[in-house]
Amino acid sequence: MYTYEELTAFVSRCTRCPLCRTRQNPVMGRGNLKGGILFIAEAPGNSEDRDGIPFTGPSGKVLDELLADAGMSRQDIYLTNVVKCHPPGNRDPRPEEQEACIIYLKHETILLRPKIIVCLGRVAAQRIIRPDFRITREHGSFLYRKNTWLTAVYHPSAILRDPLKMEETREDFWKIRGKWDEILSGGAS
Ligand code: URA
């Protein structure tokens, strides 16, 4: 098992895919290594590429609001991406880029041993939960796999594009909070 510092060092000098030639900064996940809750998005955007930190841009503000509304904060969670480098033009990360990068997410997961994994958006949900996952129909539902509860919610940037999605995403965050409380109190496996 690698430590967080070792993984950060690997990611900082990664050349496993062509995104290393266009990135400004790789974006390693960060947050609470012991909180038991792992949030996975797709790939860094422009602000994150500049700052080297996940969700520092406008979608980060939406995420913070959703967490706060459910009585949580970034200090409670660990936040990362399937792909650690910014895809130019904010396009979806390509399957081969995901393939090259997934090793880091695997090691983050081994390190964290999360009780809950929350996928932020379709790309992460299709990579982590099921290739045919339908975010519009299935967001907010939970499934249990290998000692971990898995769920997916709309990506914060989808809410920025369509603010009507905010309300149902708030409800999804409340469900996540409920599951987390259940687990902390020893109720849900
Ligand atoms: N969008 C993502 O998917 N990840 C980030 O880190 C920021 C925006």
Side-chain angles (χ1 to χ4, degrees):
M1 185 168 81
Y2 292 110
T3 64
Y4 178 74
E5 289 70 26
E6 285 166 337
L7 289 174
T8 305
F10 293 145
V11 167
S12 74
R13 38 174 199 265
C14 182
T15 54
R16 291 174 61 88
C17 88
L19 293 180
C20 69
R21 295 201 287 269
T22 49
R23 73 176 180 225
Q24 290 183 56
N25 291 293
V27 180
M28 177 61 181
R30 59 166 67 194
N32 192 329
L33 300 172
K34 303 213 181 302
I37 179 159
L38 168 61
F39 279 66
I40 306 172
E42 55 186 73
N46 286 313
S47 316
E48 294 76 25
D49 186 41
R50 182 195 61 216
D51 300 337
I53 297 171
F55 283 93
T56 53
S59 50
K61 288 209 169 60
V62 176
L63 177 64
D64 288 338
E65 191 183 327
L66 287 160
L67 287 168
D69 189 65
M72 303 168 84
S73 79
R74 289 202 200 199
Q75 273 137 29
D76 298 314
I77 67 165
Y78 184 90
L79 181 56
T80 195
N81 286 292
V82 172
V83 167
K84 306 301 192 241
C85 294
H86 174 53
N90 260 345
R91 61 167 170 74
D92 286 352
R94 296 185 175 129
E96 64 273 19
E97 293 159 353
Q98 296 186 31
E99 214 45 60
C101 209
I102 202 75
I103 184 78
Y104 299 121
L105 180 58
K106 285 195 177 136
H107 282 292
E108 285 172 295
T109 310
I110 292 168
L111 182 64
L112 264 83
R113 296 204 286 125
K115 297 276 186 205
I116 304 179
I117 292 180
V118 181
C119 299
L120 292 171
R122 172 187 52 83
V123 171
Q126 293 188 342
R127 179 76 215 191
I128 306 300
I129 300 179
R130 254 190 12 256
D132 62 350
F133 190 89
R134 302 285 303 270
I135 193 81
T136 25
R137 284 200 209 142
E138 298 180 78
H139 68 86
S141 59
F142 277 86
L143 74 108
Y144 193 63
R145 189 199 286 164
K146 292 195 205 155
N147 290 324
T148 308
W149 287 100
L150 302 174
T151 189
V153 298
Y154 284 120
H155 192 287
S157 65
I159 300 172
L160 285 171
R161 287 192 299 274
D162 175 10
L164 290 175
K165 292 190 165 73
M166 186 67 174
E167 212 37 58
E168 45 189 330
T169 309
R170 274 189 214 286
E171 287 168 20
D172 291 346
F173 270 70
W174 270 104
K175 284 191 213 156
I176 293 164
R177 172 63 202 258
K179 186 64 82 184
W180 197 47
D181 286 345
E182 242 175 274
I183 289 167
L184 292 182
S185 67
S189 318

